[in-house]
Amino acid sequence: MGKILIVAEKPSQAREYAKTLDVKGKGDGFLHNEHYIITWCIGHLLELDRPEEYMDIEKVGKRWGLHRLPVLPQIQNFKHQVKASTRSQYQVLVKLLKSSEIDHVICGTDADREGQLLFQEIWDTVQCQKPLKRLWISSLTGEAIREGMNKLQREEEVKGLAQAGYGRSYADWDFGMNLTEGFTSLFGSFDPVRKKPNVISIGRVQTPTLALVVEREWEIEQFNPIQYCEVEADFEANAGCYTGKWIDDPTKQEMQEEKYELDMKPNQQASELTEHGLDRIRAEEIAAKVKGKQGSIYSIEAKEIQEPHPLLFDLTSLTVAASKRFGMSAEQVLKTAQSLYEKKAITYPRTDCNFLPPDILPKLPAHLQALRIEPYKAWVEEAVKKDLPKGKRVINQITAHHAIIPTTERVSPEKLSLDEGKLWDMIVRRFLGIWFPPARYETTVVLTQVEGEYFRTRGKVLLELGWKDLLGDTADEDTSNQPKRRRGKSKKREEGEDGEADFVDLPILSNGESIKTLKAVIKEKETKPPKRYTQGDLLKAMENAGKKVEDELLQQQLKGKGLGTVATRPAIIENLLDRGYLLQEHRTLHPTEKGKELIRLIKEELPKAQLLVSAEMTGQMEYELSQVEQGKQELTNYMVQVENAIREILNELKVFQSAFGKRPLALAPVKSKSKTSKTKSRNNSSSKTELKDQKAKQEEAVQAQALREVLGSCPLCGGEIVEGNKGYGCMNYRQGCSFVVWKTPICGKVLTPAQMKKLLSKGKTDLIKGFRSKTGKNFSAYLVWQEARSSQLKFMFDKDT
């Protein structure tokens, strides 16, 4: 009987499989025993070929241009090549798949679309016909691996996942390769500072994400602040003092309660501020009218509110929380979470789900027991006495993977890195919180009447911490015995906004009680623009396709129609930063001029390209890709939509070129050389980065040559003349052509590309003004060839023509 081959995604994953299955033998690129051979990929071992592989280069040329496009291979005609850096491991894998020693194959790569794709590319390339099963697990613990091996999925069950993986890969290639070349040939230029092309990178998900940030920046730039006033008064009652804020008409109280949060948000305009915003004259009248006067308690309304525990983490909510609390970037969170997963500390992190399935309920006590360590021990002992959490905020419909929770493995926090410890602690506390009751508050709204004017005061009393006891949200909450009425936290203050606390100290008050107005002050305020995105904010916007949604459960309904996936979004943000479209200052993201010009160009002058900046339309494409995954749509139908969209955009670019010619966009800004946390984290994988950088430099060199504008034909050999750093030279210099016109100043003037172009085509430049003679006199002249083949020039004056 032959052996079973298990293909893991990376060596660390393979070692966990080997440990669980008692596979101890070591080979070159694999592990083995009498039953199993376990090998691994190293990420994607194959990559899609460049567009040039589908072109007749002799016919279309090497230089990027719209005349070479579109390049849209049929699904069956896409070509792959083996990555040079992982060729040896690819050969190991191919040899094993073809080996007569192997009877069955198990795909054990990460249980998601990308994990399926990197295996499927090799499987289909080799055209292996052996029986295939799929290992689908949500953690790398021994228990999870053994359970997964007992419940292997059939090949047909993940067929849709493989098709969706190809769809994502092919669509991104079609968009990226065609539109990046098309836009760059029309709007790109050569960057003399970096000595490389200013490439106008376009991406199916990247470009609409950039549009979100640019549009937010435009809102900020166009925002007109509105000044307004508020009146606050201090009152003295029998049991003590308190403060109230002026409101308009108490008979409209219900309406005002509903509008209050909207009215006072910082980005509201004048029409929305009439209920609570006052002009200076009216504010002074009210303050003078009530100061020192007697009044009474008009009404007191008290009610209890409950705040349920937050949903369990998915990757996006984990990133948002870590970004807000620790300033961690999206890429940093993803890498750290993946590291925790590989250390068996947490379940699979690349999940878009906040819920757990019903069948995990019997296993939850084991997850809980693994946390019986400090500082969680006391909470665990309290939780084990409670019933299993079964509410819809915990047990609900899941996607491919359930929410991120700690595994059943006992973790030693001291063995985790600083970032791993921070993330793991957040995940543990969020998990423990589902066993605890809601936080309970008593809120009180008091209306005070003075001289026909009304003031509102809000008080908040914590009755029970509940789950908040675990999450560290109670830094200023004192649970000891104290007076019932006391200060609670303002929502504004909790969110870090400027302004006074909405909830204030309240003494014991009674309806109709007389009070005295001690003082009334006028506070000048102004509306504020929307906030710039942090990486966490941008991830939420991508997930919701740009829609503002605060309710956690409502957010679940929008999932699947966002920009990208939880696994790809952090890389998209990094790409926007790396490609000069965004800058990060402190924790906020700012678009560069290059980014703003690209979005403005598309929105104002390229109507067919509008889908590139539409979060909703791109989100719809992501949704249709999920339909492919579920077998509800054919991959061919999805690709037809992709190809039609690309053809329309390229045709529009060709019309634009005919009408307006080339129009270079702004260059990307020069990056700061200061070390960031991102730089430090990259140092941990320097060898991998160097290989990537080497390849990038090679591609840049090819693109640089292709992007330089051809100014004319070489008088010496007929080759192409392009601009260099120090002169205008022939592209055939490697073949021995010596033609060059140096940029040495001629009587104080340096020849420009436009003048060189005219010289090559007409034999002379237009009239050039501003030459300066040796005696200091200015003069105008044409430059003409004295001897074209030797690149010698001379002056020609009007009298000579």
Side-chain angles (χ1 to χ4, degrees), residues 242 296-303 442-448 457 485 506-513:
Y242 65 99
S296 62
I297 304 296
Y298 180 80
S299 67
I300 300 175
E301 180 184 350
K303 62 181 178 180
E442 181 186 78
T443 60
T444 305
V445 179
V446 178
L447 287 181
T448 304
T457 306
R485 304 289 182 182
L506 272 177
I508 301 297
L509 302 172
S510 57
N511 256 324
E513 179 182 346

Side-chain angles (χ1 to χ4, degrees), residues 308-309 311-312 354-365 383 386-398 431-438 553:
H309 63 75
L311 301 182
L312 290 167
N354 301 90
F355 306 118
L356 299 175
D359 60 9
I360 204 175
L361 275 172
K363 304 172 189 175
L364 288 184
K386 300 176 181 293
D387 293 334
L388 293 175
K390 298 179 183 178
K392 288 187 177 180
R393 295 182 67 83
V394 179
I395 306 299
N396 210 320
Q397 184 176 352
I398 68 164
F431 173 68
L432 290 174
I434 66 176
W435 264 271
F436 288 81
L553 291 174

Side-chain angles (χ1 to χ4, degrees), residues 194 580-583 592-594 667-672:
R194 293 175 177 77
Y581 287 126
L582 297 181
L583 288 174
T592 63
E593 283 305 310
K594 177 181 176 180
L667 300 177
V670 178
K671 291 182 182 177
S672 168

Side-chain angles (χ1 to χ4, degrees), residues 591-636:
T592 63
E593 283 305 310
K594 177 181 176 180
K596 289 195 280 189
E597 284 187 16
L598 173 60
I599 301 305
R600 183 177 287 111
L601 169 76
I602 293 172
K603 290 181 78 69
E604 295 180 1
E605 300 188 61
L606 299 170
K608 296 290 185 184
Q610 291 293 308
L611 70 88
L612 290 174
V613 296
S614 169
E616 289 193 7
M617 289 181 69
T618 309
Q620 182 63 30
M621 290 182 66
E622 197 68 48
Y623 172 74
E624 289 173 7
L625 197 55
S626 72
Q627 297 293 291
V628 173
E629 181 174 327
Q630 296 169 38
K632 297 178 181 178
Q633 183 177 174
E634 291 294 326
L635 177 58
T636 50

Side-chain angles (χ1 to χ4, degrees), residues 31-49:
L31 305 167
H32 64 93
N33 67 7
E34 63 273 19
H35 300 297
Y36 296 103
I37 293 179
I38 303 175
T39 188
W40 52 85
C41 304
I42 307 172
H44 285 273
L45 298 178
L46 299 175
E47 59 188 354
L48 291 171
D49 277 336

Side-chain angles (χ1 to χ4, degrees), residues 324-375:
K324 184 177 180 181
R325 187 171 177 185
F326 304 117
M328 295 171 72
S329 71
E331 184 182 48
Q332 193 179 0
V333 172
L334 178 56
K335 286 182 177 178
T336 305
Q338 182 68 22
S339 177
L340 286 169
Y341 169 67
E342 291 171 13
K343 290 182 177 180
K344 300 185 282 186
I346 62 171
T347 56
Y348 190 67
R350 289 179 166 90
T351 176
D352 62 352
C353 182
N354 301 90
F355 306 118
L356 299 175
D359 60 9
I360 204 175
L361 275 172
K363 304 172 189 175
L364 288 184
H367 291 262
L368 200 59
Q369 289 295 342
L371 301 174
R372 200 182 280 272
I373 56 175
E374 296 297 344

